[in-house]
Amino acid sequence: MIAIDQGPDDIDRTKDFLHGMGVGSVRVGNIREFGRAQDFMSQHAQLSGLYGHCWRGRLCVSPDGTAYTCVLAREWPVGNVLEEVLAQILRAPPAVPLHRMRQTIREEV
């Protein structure tokens, strides 16, 4: 659950509601400057806002084929599966966008 502008009581009620529906685990995170939240926060996405796990062997592919290191990292595309084979994006030498982006996230975030 992402806490935007709710107070602690609202968060607790929401967690209780979700537990009552059978959700076993509910974690609360703070709003970050990605996606629609950029407008809400009047702030542009920054690498420092990532959780720091985007370099760990995952890849997000959007409906238009654009590949990102994670769903939050849409400001930093690393390829497009409609323009190149997915294996090419994944296995390319360290000088290509995916490897550079993962290294940058690992080092800076």
Side-chain angles (χ1 to χ4, degrees), residues 18-38:
L18 292 169
H19 287 137
M21 292 180 61
V23 176
S25 175
V26 179
R27 297 186 335 197
V28 180
N30 293 321
I31 188 171
R32 293 172 182 254
E33 68 275 7
F34 299 99
R36 293 183 305 252
Q38 289 183 78

Side-chain angles (χ1 to χ4, degrees), residues 56-96:
R56 289 190 171 168
R58 293 184 178 95
L59 195 67
C60 168
V61 179
S62 68
D64 70 358
T66 306
Y68 310 94
T69 56
C70 75
V71 70
L72 294 179
R74 291 177 182 250
E75 299 289 325
W76 307 280
V78 295
N80 188 300
V81 298
L82 300 178
E83 298 170 3
E84 56 189 312
V85 178
L86 179 59
Q88 207 174 346
I89 295 170
L90 294 172
R91 295 191 183 112
V96 297

